[in-house]
Amino acid sequence: MNVLYEVSDLRVDMALPGDLLSALLPFRRPVINILNGITLTLNRGETLGIVGESGSGKTTLARTMLGLVPASGGQLRFDGETVGPAQIRRLRRETAMMFQDAVASLSPRMRVGDLITEPFVIHGPAPANRQARAGEMLARVGLPPAMADRYPHELSGGQARRVSVARALALDPALVIADEPTAGLDVSIQGEILNLLSDLKESRGVSFLIITHNLAVVRNTADRIAILYLGRLVETGPAAEVFARPAHPYTASLIASEPDPDPRRRRADLAIKGEIPGLLRRPKGCEFHSRCPRAMSLCRETRPALREIAPGRSVSCHLAVPDFPDLPTNRAN
Ligand code: SF4
Protein backbone atom coordinates (compact mmCIF):
# COMPACT_ATOMS: atom_id res chain seq x y z
CA MET A 1 0.00 0.00 0.00
CA ASN A 2 1.31 3.45 -0.70
CA VAL A 3 0.75 6.44 1.48
CA LEU A 4 -1.87 8.97 0.38
CA TYR A 5 -1.84 11.35 3.35
CA GLU A 6 0.82 11.90 5.99
CA VAL A 7 0.24 14.03 9.08
CA SER A 8 3.41 14.74 11.10
CA ASP A 9 3.47 16.31 14.54
CA LEU A 10 0.39 18.41 13.74
CA ARG A 11 -0.55 21.17 16.15
CA VAL A 12 -3.64 23.34 15.91
CA ASP A 13 -4.23 26.32 18.22
CA MET A 14 -7.27 28.57 18.11
CA ALA A 15 -7.87 32.01 19.57
CA LEU A 16 -11.02 32.37 21.67
CA PRO A 17 -13.29 35.41 21.22
CA GLY A 18 -12.20 36.90 24.56
CA ASP A 19 -13.50 40.13 26.12
CA LEU A 20 -13.97 43.59 24.64
CA LEU A 21 -10.34 44.56 25.25
CA SER A 22 -9.18 41.39 23.48
CA ALA A 23 -11.38 42.28 20.49
CA LEU A 24 -9.51 45.58 20.19
CA LEU A 25 -6.11 43.99 20.87
CA PRO A 26 -6.17 40.60 19.09
CA PHE A 27 -2.80 39.52 20.58
CA ARG A 28 -4.51 39.50 24.01
CA ARG A 29 -7.08 36.88 22.93
CA PRO A 30 -6.71 33.62 24.87
CA VAL A 31 -5.47 30.75 22.73
CA ILE A 32 -6.39 27.10 23.26
CA ASN A 33 -4.55 24.12 21.95
CA ILE A 34 -6.98 21.82 20.07
CA LEU A 35 -4.57 19.27 18.57
CA ASN A 36 -1.06 18.39 19.67
CA GLY A 37 1.58 16.07 18.27
CA ILE A 38 -0.72 14.24 15.83
CA THR A 39 1.23 11.89 13.59
CA LEU A 40 -0.60 9.44 11.36
CA THR A 41 -0.71 8.07 7.84
CA LEU A 42 -3.56 7.09 5.56
CA ASN A 43 -2.80 4.65 2.75
CA ARG A 44 -4.49 4.50 -0.64
CA GLY A 45 -7.61 2.36 -0.58
CA GLU A 46 -7.62 2.22 3.21
CA THR A 47 -10.24 3.19 5.77
CA LEU A 48 -8.95 4.88 8.90
CA GLY A 49 -11.38 5.45 11.77
CA ILE A 50 -10.77 8.47 14.00
CA VAL A 51 -12.64 7.88 17.25
CA GLY A 52 -13.14 10.21 20.18
CA GLU A 53 -15.76 11.92 22.29
CA SER A 54 -17.07 15.37 21.56
CA GLY A 55 -14.19 17.77 22.35
CA SER A 56 -11.47 15.30 21.37
CA GLY A 57 -10.49 17.34 18.28
CA LYS A 58 -11.52 14.79 15.64
CA THR A 59 -13.54 17.26 13.53
CA THR A 60 -10.74 19.84 13.72
CA LEU A 61 -8.31 17.15 12.53
CA ALA A 62 -10.53 16.39 9.52
CA ARG A 63 -11.02 20.06 8.66
CA THR A 64 -7.28 20.71 8.92
CA MET A 65 -6.57 17.78 6.60
CA LEU A 66 -9.01 19.31 4.09
CA GLY A 67 -7.22 22.67 4.29
CA LEU A 68 -10.21 24.36 5.97
CA VAL A 69 -8.38 25.06 9.26
CA PRO A 70 -4.77 26.32 9.30
CA ALA A 71 -2.17 24.21 11.09
CA SER A 72 -0.20 25.97 13.82
CA GLY A 73 2.71 23.53 13.56
CA GLY A 74 3.80 20.26 12.02
CA GLN A 75 3.43 19.10 8.44
CA LEU A 76 0.72 17.75 6.13
CA ARG A 77 1.67 15.85 2.99
CA PHE A 78 -0.97 14.81 0.44
CA ASP A 79 0.08 12.46 -2.35
CA GLY A 80 3.76 13.24 -1.74
CA GLU A 81 3.40 17.04 -1.72
CA THR A 82 3.54 19.31 1.31
CA VAL A 83 0.14 20.95 1.75
CA GLY A 84 0.50 24.72 1.45
CA PRO A 85 -1.43 27.57 -0.21
CA ALA A 86 -0.29 26.42 -3.68
CA GLN A 87 -1.71 22.90 -3.18
CA ILE A 88 -5.07 23.84 -1.66
CA ARG A 89 -6.91 23.86 -5.00
CA ARG A 90 -5.69 20.37 -5.87
CA LEU A 91 -6.41 19.15 -2.32
CA ARG A 92 -10.00 20.43 -2.55
CA ARG A 93 -10.52 18.71 -5.91
CA GLU A 94 -9.12 15.37 -4.79
CA THR A 95 -10.79 15.21 -1.40
CA ALA A 96 -14.44 15.35 -0.40
CA MET A 97 -16.37 15.66 2.82
CA MET A 98 -19.59 13.89 3.83
CA PHE A 99 -21.23 16.01 6.49
CA GLN A 100 -22.92 14.65 9.59
CA ASP A 101 -26.35 16.11 8.83
CA ALA A 102 -26.86 14.87 5.26
CA VAL A 103 -30.18 16.67 4.65
CA ALA A 104 -28.97 20.02 6.05
CA SER A 105 -25.80 19.82 3.94
CA LEU A 106 -27.86 19.64 0.71
CA SER A 107 -29.27 22.92 -0.63
CA PRO A 108 -33.08 22.67 -0.26
CA ARG A 109 -33.67 24.61 -3.50
CA MET A 110 -31.70 22.28 -5.75
CA ARG A 111 -32.83 18.97 -7.22
CA VAL A 112 -30.81 15.86 -6.39
CA GLY A 113 -29.39 15.61 -9.93
CA ASP A 114 -28.05 19.18 -9.78
CA LEU A 115 -26.67 18.64 -6.28
CA ILE A 116 -24.75 15.56 -7.38
CA THR A 117 -23.24 17.22 -10.45
CA GLU A 118 -22.60 20.61 -8.79
CA PRO A 119 -18.95 19.69 -7.98
CA PHE A 120 -18.29 19.52 -11.76
CA VAL A 121 -19.65 23.04 -12.14
CA ILE A 122 -17.43 24.30 -9.29
CA HIS A 123 -14.23 22.50 -10.30
CA GLY A 124 -14.99 21.78 -13.99
CA PRO A 125 -15.14 20.45 -16.58
CA ALA A 126 -18.94 20.12 -16.62
CA PRO A 127 -20.13 16.78 -18.07
CA ALA A 128 -21.67 16.92 -21.57
CA ASN A 129 -24.87 15.29 -20.33
CA ARG A 130 -25.42 16.33 -16.75
CA GLN A 131 -28.62 14.31 -16.36
CA ALA A 132 -27.00 11.08 -17.55
CA ARG A 133 -24.02 11.64 -15.24
CA ALA A 134 -26.36 12.18 -12.28
CA GLY A 135 -28.15 8.91 -13.12
CA GLU A 136 -24.80 7.09 -13.24
CA MET A 137 -23.79 8.48 -9.85
CA LEU A 138 -27.14 7.56 -8.32
CA ALA A 139 -26.82 3.99 -9.61
CA ARG A 140 -23.37 3.79 -8.04
CA VAL A 141 -24.88 4.40 -4.59
CA GLY A 142 -27.88 2.11 -5.14
CA LEU A 143 -30.55 4.74 -5.98
CA PRO A 144 -32.80 4.83 -9.08
CA PRO A 145 -32.03 7.53 -11.73
CA ALA A 146 -35.55 9.00 -11.22
CA MET A 147 -34.38 10.21 -7.81
CA ALA A 148 -32.49 12.98 -9.67
CA ASP A 149 -35.73 15.00 -9.93
CA ARG A 150 -36.46 15.05 -6.21
CA TYR A 151 -35.67 17.77 -3.69
CA PRO A 152 -33.75 16.99 -0.46
CA HIS A 153 -36.87 17.28 1.74
CA GLU A 154 -38.46 14.45 -0.28
CA LEU A 155 -35.68 12.00 0.70
CA SER A 156 -35.55 9.62 3.65
CA GLY A 157 -32.51 9.82 5.97
CA GLY A 158 -30.87 6.83 4.26
CA GLN A 159 -31.54 8.22 0.76
CA ALA A 160 -30.12 11.64 1.73
CA ARG A 161 -26.99 9.91 3.04
CA ARG A 162 -26.62 7.99 -0.24
CA VAL A 163 -27.01 11.24 -2.18
CA SER A 164 -24.26 12.82 -0.07
CA VAL A 165 -22.03 9.82 -0.85
CA ALA A 166 -22.77 10.23 -4.58
CA ARG A 167 -21.98 13.95 -4.40
CA ALA A 168 -18.74 13.25 -2.49
CA LEU A 169 -17.69 10.76 -5.19
CA ALA A 170 -18.58 13.00 -8.15
CA LEU A 171 -15.01 14.06 -8.93
CA ASP A 172 -13.52 10.61 -8.23
CA PRO A 173 -11.65 11.87 -5.15
CA ALA A 174 -8.71 9.99 -3.71
CA LEU A 175 -9.98 10.66 -0.18
CA VAL A 176 -13.45 11.00 1.35
CA ILE A 177 -13.81 12.23 4.92
CA ALA A 178 -17.07 11.01 6.44
CA ASP A 179 -18.19 12.81 9.60
CA GLU A 180 -20.46 10.51 11.67
CA PRO A 181 -21.74 8.78 8.49
CA THR A 182 -24.52 6.91 10.29
CA ALA A 183 -25.74 9.59 12.71
CA GLY A 184 -29.52 9.77 12.97
CA LEU A 185 -30.17 6.63 10.88
CA ASP A 186 -32.05 3.46 11.88
CA VAL A 187 -29.78 0.53 12.74
CA SER A 188 -30.63 -1.40 9.55
CA ILE A 189 -29.92 1.67 7.36
CA GLN A 190 -26.66 2.30 9.25
CA GLY A 191 -25.44 -1.15 8.15
CA GLU A 192 -26.40 -0.41 4.52
CA ILE A 193 -24.46 2.86 4.48
CA LEU A 194 -21.36 1.28 6.06
CA ASN A 195 -21.53 -1.59 3.55
CA LEU A 196 -21.81 0.96 0.74
CA LEU A 197 -18.65 2.75 1.93
CA SER A 198 -16.80 -0.58 2.18
CA ASP A 199 -17.92 -1.57 -1.34
CA LEU A 200 -16.78 1.78 -2.75
CA LYS A 201 -13.41 1.41 -1.05
CA GLU A 202 -12.98 -2.01 -2.66
CA SER A 203 -14.37 -1.17 -6.11
CA ARG A 204 -12.95 2.34 -6.59
CA GLY A 205 -9.87 2.31 -4.35
CA VAL A 206 -11.05 5.40 -2.46
CA SER A 207 -9.46 6.09 0.95
CA PHE A 208 -11.94 6.88 3.71
CA LEU A 209 -11.36 8.75 6.93
CA ILE A 210 -14.35 8.05 9.18
CA ILE A 211 -14.79 10.37 12.13
CA THR A 212 -17.04 9.12 14.89
CA HIS A 213 -17.66 9.03 18.61
CA ASN A 214 -19.20 5.58 18.16
CA LEU A 215 -16.77 2.68 17.99
CA ALA A 216 -19.46 0.43 16.49
CA VAL A 217 -19.31 2.51 13.28
CA VAL A 218 -15.70 1.54 12.64
CA ARG A 219 -15.71 -1.96 14.16
CA ASN A 220 -16.26 -3.71 10.81
CA THR A 221 -15.52 -0.85 8.43
CA ALA A 222 -12.07 0.48 9.32
CA ASP A 223 -8.75 -1.17 8.55
CA ARG A 224 -7.02 0.85 11.25
CA ILE A 225 -8.26 3.09 14.00
CA ALA A 226 -6.82 6.05 15.89
CA ILE A 227 -8.25 7.03 19.27
CA LEU A 228 -8.12 10.74 20.17
CA TYR A 229 -8.41 12.16 23.66
CA LEU A 230 -8.17 15.90 24.34
CA GLY A 231 -6.45 16.50 21.02
CA ARG A 232 -3.77 13.81 21.37
CA LEU A 233 -3.59 10.30 19.96
CA VAL A 234 -3.73 7.75 22.76
CA GLU A 235 -3.90 4.54 20.72
CA THR A 236 -3.51 3.60 17.06
CA GLY A 237 -3.41 0.23 15.37
CA PRO A 238 -5.13 -2.32 13.15
CA ALA A 239 -8.86 -2.22 14.00
CA ALA A 240 -9.20 -5.96 14.60
CA GLU A 241 -6.27 -5.97 17.05
CA VAL A 242 -7.41 -2.88 18.93
CA PHE A 243 -10.94 -4.25 19.36
CA ALA A 244 -9.69 -7.70 20.37
CA ARG A 245 -7.14 -6.38 22.84
CA PRO A 246 -7.31 -2.66 23.66
CA ALA A 247 -4.08 -1.45 25.24
CA HIS A 248 -5.20 1.97 26.50
CA PRO A 249 -7.75 2.15 29.34
CA TYR A 250 -9.67 4.84 27.41
CA THR A 251 -10.07 2.51 24.42
CA ALA A 252 -11.16 -0.29 26.76
CA SER A 253 -13.73 2.04 28.34
CA LEU A 254 -15.08 3.10 24.94
CA ILE A 255 -15.50 -0.55 23.96
CA ALA A 256 -17.18 -1.26 27.29
CA SER A 257 -19.56 1.64 26.62
CA GLU A 258 -20.81 0.09 23.36
CA PRO A 259 -24.38 -1.13 23.75
CA ASP A 260 -24.43 -4.92 24.05
CA PRO A 261 -27.72 -6.71 23.39
CA ASP A 262 -26.68 -9.55 25.73
CA PRO A 263 -27.37 -8.33 29.30
CA ARG A 264 -24.96 -10.98 30.70
CA ARG A 265 -22.07 -9.27 28.94
CA ARG A 266 -22.95 -5.70 29.96
CA ARG A 267 -20.24 -4.27 32.18
CA ALA A 268 -21.55 -0.87 33.26
CA ASP A 269 -18.70 -0.69 35.78
CA LEU A 270 -16.20 -0.50 32.91
CA ALA A 271 -18.04 2.11 30.84
CA ILE A 272 -16.48 5.53 30.48
CA LYS A 273 -17.39 7.83 33.36
CA GLY A 274 -17.34 11.57 33.89
CA GLU A 275 -16.97 14.39 31.39
CA ILE A 276 -14.00 15.03 29.15
CA PRO A 277 -12.01 17.89 30.80
CA GLY A 278 -12.02 21.32 29.15
CA LEU A 279 -9.15 22.28 26.86
CA LEU A 280 -8.54 25.43 28.89
CA ARG A 281 -7.63 23.35 31.94
CA ARG A 282 -5.77 20.32 30.66
CA PRO A 283 -4.99 17.93 33.54
CA LYS A 284 -1.35 17.58 34.53
CA GLY A 285 0.37 14.26 33.78
CA CYS A 286 -1.70 11.77 31.79
CA GLU A 287 -4.69 13.80 30.64
CA PHE A 288 -6.97 10.78 31.09
CA HIS A 289 -6.02 10.21 34.75
CA SER A 290 -9.13 11.89 36.22
CA ARG A 291 -11.33 9.24 34.51
CA CYS A 292 -8.97 6.28 34.39
CA PRO A 293 -9.84 3.25 36.55
CA ARG A 294 -6.17 2.22 36.52
CA ALA A 295 -4.54 5.57 37.36
CA MET A 296 -1.43 5.47 39.56
CA SER A 297 0.43 8.30 41.29
CA LEU A 298 2.90 8.41 38.38
CA CYS A 299 -0.02 9.19 36.02
CA ARG A 300 -0.89 12.37 37.92
CA GLU A 301 2.62 13.77 37.41
CA THR A 302 4.04 12.45 34.16
CA ARG A 303 2.39 12.36 30.73
CA PRO A 304 3.16 9.10 28.93
CA ALA A 305 4.65 9.37 25.42
CA LEU A 306 2.99 7.65 22.46
CA ARG A 307 5.21 4.65 21.80
CA GLU A 308 5.13 1.63 19.57
CA ILE A 309 4.31 -1.57 21.47
CA ALA A 310 4.02 -3.79 18.39
CA PRO A 311 4.45 -3.22 14.63
CA GLY A 312 1.84 -0.65 13.62
CA ARG A 313 0.47 -0.40 17.16
CA SER A 314 1.19 2.68 19.32
CA VAL A 315 -0.18 3.57 22.74
CA SER A 316 0.24 6.42 25.19
CA CYS A 317 -0.08 4.86 28.66
CA HIS A 318 2.43 3.98 31.38
CA LEU A 319 0.93 0.47 31.49
CA ALA A 320 1.37 -0.16 27.77
CA VAL A 321 4.41 -2.36 27.19
CA PRO A 322 4.92 -5.00 24.48
CA ASP A 323 3.35 -7.72 26.68
CA PHE A 324 0.69 -5.51 28.22
CA PRO A 325 -1.88 -7.08 30.53
CA ASP A 326 -5.37 -7.68 29.11
CA LEU A 327 -7.73 -4.82 29.90
CA PRO A 328 -11.28 -5.93 30.63
CA THR A 329 -14.05 -4.97 28.21
CA ASN A 330 -17.66 -6.13 27.99
CA ARG A 331 -17.33 -7.51 24.49
CA ALA A 332 -16.71 -11.06 23.38
CA ASN A 333 -14.65 -10.68 20.19
FE1 SF4 B 1 -4.57 5.46 33.01
FE2 SF4 B 1 -2.14 6.06 33.89
FE3 SF4 B 1 -2.42 4.84 31.56
FE4 SF4 B 1 -3.14 7.37 31.84
S1 SF4 B 1 -1.06 6.55 32.00
S2 SF4 B 1 -4.28 5.80 30.80
S3 SF4 B 1 -3.97 7.38 33.91
S4 SF4 B 1 -2.93 4.02 33.58
Side-chain angles (χ1 to χ4, degrees):
M1 270 192 178
N2 54 22
V3 174
L4 175 67
Y5 212 129
E6 276 179 283
V7 177
S8 309
D9 204 17
L10 174 67
R11 180 184 177 97
V12 174
D13 298 328
M14 280 186 193
L16 296 174
D19 53 18
L20 186 60
L21 188 58
S22 330
L24 297 171
L25 304 168
F27 60 86
R28 282 180 53 101
R29 287 167 67 186
V31 172
I32 53 166
N33 172 232
I34 313 268
L35 295 172
N36 204 325
I38 304 291
T39 295
L40 50 84
T41 56
L42 175 63
N43 296 315
R44 288 183 187 280
E46 181 186 48
T47 297
L48 175 65
I50 305 282
V51 183
E53 294 166 278
S54 167
S56 62
K58 56 189 188 303
T59 302
T60 302
L61 174 59
R63 291 173 60 80
T64 310
M65 289 176 69
L66 287 173
L68 300 172
V69 168
S72 311
Q75 199 182 43
L76 302 172
R77 286 178 71 79
F78 177 73
D79 199 17
E81 286 185 5
T82 300
V83 175
Q87 284 74 34
I88 289 293
R89 193 174 161 80
R90 179 178 169 223
L91 184 71
R92 298 253 167 90
R93 196 180 196 289
E94 296 192 19
T95 58
M97 178 97 183
M98 279 172 59
F99 294 95
Q100 187 176 148
D101 188 340
V103 175
S105 71
L106 302 172
S107 168
R109 285 185 292 277
M110 290 174 74
R111 290 180 195 270
V112 164
D114 293 331
L115 285 164
I116 291 176
T117 52
E118 192 187 24
F120 293 107
V121 177
I122 296 169
H123 295 277
N129 186 336
R130 209 168 153 177
Q131 193 69 12
R133 189 63 202 252
E136 236 174 75
M137 303 296 300
L138 285 166
R140 199 179 284 176
V141 296
L143 292 174
M147 193 77 66
D149 292 327
R150 298 220 190 144
Y151 285 96
H153 72 270
E154 297 175 299
L155 305 176
S156 67
Q159 288 168 340
R161 199 65 54 130
R162 283 175 189 269
V163 168
S164 67
V165 176
R167 184 179 153 93
L169 292 174
L171 298 175
D172 267 329
L175 166 65
V176 173
I177 297 185
D179 188 2
E180 300 286 3
T182 60
L185 298 178
D186 290 346
V187 175
S188 59
I189 310 291
Q190 288 180 15
E192 285 178 18
I193 295 297
L194 294 176
N195 287 341
L196 173 65
L197 299 188
S198 294
D199 290 348
L200 291 167
K201 183 189 78 165
E202 297 301 328
S203 62
R204 308 197 67 81
V206 184
S207 302
F208 282 95
L209 191 77
I210 297 183
I211 307 165
T212 182
H213 71 283
N214 181 359
L215 269 177
V217 169
V218 290
R219 179 177 273 273
N220 298 313
T221 318
D223 300 296
R224 289 187 299 126
I225 58 174
I227 311 284
L228 264 181
Y229 189 77
L230 274 186
R232 292 184 203 272
L233 290 174
V234 296
E235 179 157 10
T236 63
E241 285 179 31
V242 173
F243 276 105
R245 214 169 162 234
H248 194 285
Y250 180 53
T251 314
S253 298
L254 288 176
I255 294 173
S257 300
E258 281 187 71
D260 193 321
D262 183 347
R264 290 165 304 177
R265 290 208 306 253
R266 279 184 205 144
R267 294 284 307 272
D269 55 318
L270 299 173
I272 187 95
K273 294 188 177 73
E275 294 294 314
I276 192 166
L279 289 166
L280 276 171
R281 296 172 65 96
R282 285 178 175 274
K284 190 179 170 204
C286 171
E287 292 172 339
F288 185 56
H289 82 250
S290 58
R291 305 167 81 191
C292 180
R294 302 170 73 91
M296 311 166 281
S297 53
L298 170 67
C299 309
R300 291 180 251 284
E301 297 299 326
T302 309
R303 185 164 57 79
L306 186 73
R307 56 201 164 132
E308 194 169 65
I309 57 162
R313 186 96 192 264
S314 297
V315 182
S316 154
C317 171
H318 293 306
L319 292 174
V321 288
D323 272 326
F324 61 91
D326 275 357
L327 300 175
T329 71
N330 70 343
R331 304 291 299 202
N333 287 285

